[in-house]
Amino acid sequence: MTTLMTADGNPRSTKRRSQRRPDTWAGIGMSFPALLGLVLFIAIPFVYAIIFSLQNIQVSQAHPAKFWGLTEYVRLFTNPIDSGPFLRAMLNNFVFAAVVIPVQTGLALALAVLLNRKLKGVKIYRTFFFMPVVFPMALVAVIWRLILDRSSQGLLNSALNAVTFGHVQPHDWLGSSSTALASVILLSIWQGVGFQMIIVLAGLQEIPQERYEAASLDRAGAWQQFIHITVPGIRNTLIFVVLLTTILSFRVYDQVYILINTAGANQNATQTMLFQATNAVFNENDLGQASAISVILFVIVVIITVVQRAVLRQRNES
């Protein structure tokens, strides 16, 4: 057996190094399907999106595409016809994310803490709160369409009319510009909070119970235990939930499309960047503009994710 010496004088065996090679190859083999999927379904389509965004491509055009450079990007921010809907869609995306990320994460944390206790029938409660996650978004949109129906027969209008003894008149929750986006936000939080709750709940169950018992012996209250034991114990889980919710909040599309096309939701108040991209390619045949919107959306998500990671890492180090 050949023995080598390391820089600090310790012997290193080539046999030991050869034993690690099977683990390395096994790791590469197990990660290969995921890496292949990332390349095929994310990297290559994104490269094509960048290429398409630099060209004047109409889906049904007979002549070949021309290189436009950054014309599509400039038009999205300066052209009066294109910039209005695009900037409004971007604003809707940011408002949606600004509300959904803290509210949905906080609500998921509260539900997870509540359902982590030894309650009677806790499995039923967990199933009840997780149930909307398995519902297709189309079904969720139909359910909320009935709840938010503009007529007096709508579930929400009927409930408000009954509670206020007829003093509140029926309201067009989806058609009004002041309540349309709020309705989509409420729908989305209701459908998605169960998924985040399950992730946080898994993190809570990894915290050793001895820490809570020691804190109880030191007469720490429930709030002190939550701040000094629970939150630090699930910090990495909460970071993951926030990042995941951020990405999903900028991908909102299904509920917007269904409510606009089937329930008459206010398009200007509810459309998002992803909705506008699909609308550009399927209704206006403008593949170049749709690709430019997709690239801008990707860059926004990457920047926000990097900033979040940097801020949270700095707080962790401090």
Side-chain angles (χ1 to χ4, degrees):
M1 182 178 64
T2 303
T3 302
L4 302 177
M5 300 300 292
T6 60
D8 55 359
N10 295 325
R12 185 174 58 188
S13 171
T14 55
K15 181 179 179 180
R16 188 178 302 172
R17 186 172 56 185
S18 64
Q19 288 175 345
R20 288 198 295 265
R21 289 179 178 174
D23 295 337
T24 303
W25 286 112
I28 295 174
M30 287 187 287
S31 61
F32 179 76
L35 294 175
L36 182 63
L38 287 174
V39 172
L40 290 178
F41 299 108
I42 295 180
I44 294 178
F46 181 66
V47 171
Y48 271 102
I50 295 176
I51 296 173
F52 291 156
S53 68
L54 302 177
Q55 301 180 17
N56 177 21
I57 301 181
Q58 300 294 324
V59 176
S60 59
Q61 68 182 6
H63 54 82
K66 295 181 180 179
F67 181 76
W68 267 29
L70 299 177
T71 303
E72 290 289 359
Y73 296 95
V74 174
R75 289 178 59 185
L76 285 173
F77 287 97
T78 59
N79 188 294
I81 298 176
D82 298 325
S83 63
F86 172 71
L87 294 178
R88 181 54 193 261
M90 183 184 292
L91 176 64
N92 291 340
N93 258 123
F94 276 102
V95 172
F96 184 90
V99 176
V100 168
I101 294 170
V103 173
Q104 188 163 316
T105 304
L107 191 57
L109 175 60
L111 290 174
V113 171
L114 180 64
L115 297 179
N116 193 39
R117 298 185 176 183
K118 296 180 180 179
L119 301 174
K120 190 176 182 180
V122 67
K123 293 183 179 179
I124 298 176
Y125 297 139
R126 291 175 183 174
T127 304
F128 176 77
F129 285 109
F130 186 74
M131 194 178 298
V133 178
V134 301
F135 289 165
M137 186 52 76
L139 177 60
V140 173
V142 171
I143 294 173
W144 280 86
R145 175 187 172 186
L146 298 175
I147 295 174
L148 302 173
D149 191 275
R150 65 172 66 92
S151 70
S152 59
Q153 304 301 318
L155 295 179
L156 182 57
N157 283 333
S158 299
L160 290 176
N161 186 270
V163 171
T164 61
F165 301 102
H167 288 84
V168 175
Q169 299 300 315
H171 180 71
D172 188 0
W173 301 97
L174 293 172
S176 172
S177 59
S178 59
T179 57
L181 185 58
S183 301
V184 176
I185 291 174
L186 181 63
L187 177 160
S188 303
I189 292 175
W190 177 82
Q191 193 272 338
V193 70
F195 181 63
Q196 280 84 349
M197 178 199 72
I198 290 297
I199 298 175
V200 177
L201 185 60
L204 288 174
Q205 294 178 350
E206 293 296 324
I207 300 176
Q209 288 300 315
E210 291 78 7
R211 296 182 185 177
Y212 293 102
E213 295 172 358
S216 299
L217 292 176
D218 292 337
R219 298 182 179 180
W223 177 250
Q224 291 175 314
Q225 293 183 21
F226 176 76
I227 294 297
H228 297 291
I229 298 177
T230 302
V231 174
I234 60 171
R235 187 178 185 282
N236 291 332
T237 304
L238 288 176
I239 291 174
F240 171 75
V241 168
V242 169
L243 293 177
L244 181 65
T245 308
T246 302
I247 295 172
L248 294 178
S249 64
F250 277 93
R251 287 177 49 194
V252 58
Y253 170 74
D254 296 354
Q255 56 270 50
V256 172
Y257 176 83
I258 294 172
L259 292 177
I260 288 178
N261 289 282
T262 65
N266 189 308
Q267 180 170 340
N268 189 45
T270 58
Q271 67 176 344
T272 59
M273 294 176 67
L274 199 54
F275 175 84
Q276 198 186 14
T278 56
N279 189 56
V281 68
F282 290 112
N283 294 338
E284 301 172 8
N285 296 326
D286 195 343
L287 182 59
Q289 186 180 88
S291 300
I293 295 173
S294 301
V295 172
I296 293 173
L297 179 61
F298 180 84
V299 172
I300 290 173
V301 172
V302 169
I303 291 175
I304 292 176
T305 303
V306 171
V307 171
Q308 282 184 334
R309 286 286 299 171
V311 171
L312 295 174
R313 184 177 300 172
Q314 288 175 356
R315 289 182 179 178
N316 188 27
E317 291 174 351
S318 64

